[in-house]
Amino acid sequence: MSGIMRLGFVEYQVPDLVLASNFYEQVFGLIKVAETPERLYYKCWDEYDHHSVVMKKAADLGLIKIGWKVEEESDLSRLEKKIQDYGIETRRVPGGEELEIGEAVSFVAPSGQTMWLYHKMTQVGKAVIPPEIVPHDLPGIGPTHLDHMVIAAEDLGEMVKFLTTVLGFRISEQVLDPEGRPIFSFLFLRSKPHDLALTTGPKGKFHHVAFYVDDSDAVIRAHAIIKGAQHRVDVPPSKHGITRGATTYFYDPFGNRLETFAGGYLTYPDFPTITWTVEHLSAGIFNTGGPPNLEKFMAWI
Ligand SMILES: [Fe+2]
């Protein structure tokens, strides 16, 4: 079993922290847990770790790092050795270098994104206490948790090999070209349809960060909130063929693409990979609905 439990946090750049605060708190409905002059830290209401989203002030957009939370302290040194044996340099990050995070292992994946493995993050608890089951005072969309990311890889086959043989991901679905090479790969850790997906694209880039909402009604509601607040929608409420999730995509005020995602099937370690061919690609990505502007939707961040 992979020692990695889940996508724990993502850090990316935003040009204006005040504008980011307004959007992510009032419209997107995240909970601010900390801030510094350089960074904002957020969690979703049903998460219990200190944060799952970090935004750093910078002139341009861009991904800073992806954090994977491992189950046991010993997973850190075990995976660190596997990464080094694969030929990738690692750095031990002392506990406390990053706010509320213990010791970590940092490395650059073959696809160019910086990734961290960590075991400890301060737990602050969920935003609801029994008998509450939903937060009563949260504005905006209010996703329950960070769900998955889609990132670019110049050499998709190489990145899939690294993720599966070193980090312990499994492939839930893939789209193969006529020569049998993957052009989209969807990978999972424990029981979700995907925790990370990849497609061919420029080194170090990402496509979107996805957050979970309860069901397809919540996806429709998210779209209505984004439209009502006059932010840019990328894909109106639709249904993925691959993962079978309900989805809508939109942008934060700076052009970071966000997704709210609901549903999807369960996976287990013996899940047989579902393979799609290129001729069914469009039905795979969007079974129902889809982007009005495909070129815009395919742009990398
Ligand atoms: Fe997604």
Side-chain angles (χ1 to χ4, degrees):
M1 179 196 278
S2 168
I4 303 176
M5 291 192 293
R6 63 173 175 270
L7 173 61
F9 70 89
V10 56
E11 179 175 3
Y12 53 92
Q13 298 176 177
V14 292
D16 184 327
L17 295 184
V18 174
L19 208 53
S21 282
N22 290 340
F23 174 79
Y24 282 95
E25 288 158 49
Q26 300 305 316
V27 180
F28 198 47
L30 300 184
I31 297 168
K32 184 154 72 189
V33 287
E35 63 184 313
T36 69
E38 293 299 313
R39 285 184 175 84
L40 298 169
Y41 296 80
Y42 287 98
K43 73 187 277 291
C44 299
W45 68 264
D46 210 24
E47 292 172 333
Y48 41 84
D49 278 353
H50 182 264
H51 61 263
S52 58
V53 183
V54 184
M55 278 161 242
K56 186 183 180 207
K57 188 174 178 349
D60 302 320
L61 300 186
L63 181 66
I64 297 174
K65 59 181 175 280
I66 301 171
W68 302 104
K69 190 172 190 188
V70 301
E71 187 168 354
E72 307 286 346
E73 185 82 50
S74 59
D75 291 325
L76 283 185
S77 46
R78 185 175 60 78
L79 292 171
E80 179 179 47
K81 182 170 183 323
K82 287 183 77 176
I83 295 164
Q84 290 168 352
D85 288 349
Y86 192 83
I88 292 176
E89 255 180 55
T90 62
R91 177 174 78 91
R92 269 280 169 160
V93 182
E97 183 177 305
E98 193 81 5
L99 192 69
E100 307 294 345
I101 299 182
E103 203 173 13
V105 173
S106 168
F107 61 96
V108 178
S111 52
Q113 295 85 2
T114 297
M115 295 186 171
W116 277 31
L117 303 174
Y118 67 100
H119 171 59
K120 289 197 181 108
M121 184 187 280
T122 306
Q123 294 201 348
V124 295
K126 298 186 176 205
V128 294
I129 299 167
E132 277 185 324
I133 59 164
V134 289
H136 60 271
D137 57 356
L138 189 68
I141 294 168
T144 57
H145 58 267
L146 175 64
D147 189 74
H148 66 268
M149 282 197 73
V150 174
I151 62 172
E154 281 178 343
D155 184 339
L156 201 62
E158 166 70 8
M159 185 57 180
V160 170
K161 183 179 161 206
F162 172 74
L163 290 167
T164 53
T165 63
V166 178
L167 296 188
F169 282 81
R170 293 183 166 95
I171 306 169
S172 55
E173 306 205 36
Q174 59 186 353
V175 182
L176 301 182
D177 72 11
E179 283 75 46
R181 292 176 302 225
I183 53 171
F184 284 88
S185 296
F186 298 77
L187 299 113
F188 71 99
L189 292 161
R190 294 287 167 101
S191 60
K192 286 155 53 177
H194 62 338
D195 294 273
L196 182 67
L198 310 167
T199 184
T200 310
K203 206 172 178 73
K205 294 288 187 180
F206 77 106
H207 184 266
H208 65 266
V209 182
F211 294 81
Y212 201 82
V213 293
D214 279 339
D215 52 29
S216 49
D217 276 354
V219 169
I220 292 168
R221 179 177 173 273
H223 170 254
I225 288 171
I226 292 296
K227 253 179 93 169
Q230 300 189 320
H231 288 282
R232 286 181 295 156
V233 171
D234 196 15
V235 182
S238 300
K239 173 92 172 170
H240 287 307
I242 294 168
T243 74
R244 298 186 203 141
T247 179
T248 186
Y249 295 80
F250 44 88
Y251 296 98
D252 78 0
F254 319 106
N256 289 302
R257 189 183 292 102
L258 305 170
E259 178 187 13
T260 50
F261 177 93
Y265 48 74
L266 292 173
T267 52
Y268 297 93
D270 64 345
F271 188 86
T273 300
I274 299 169
T275 297
W276 298 70
T277 55
V278 174
E279 66 176 312
H280 297 133
L281 177 62
S282 63
I285 305 298
F286 291 103
N287 180 270
T288 308
N293 183 336
L294 188 62
E295 199 181 329
K296 195 172 139 217
F297 179 70
M298 292 312 293
W300 293 98
I301 300 163

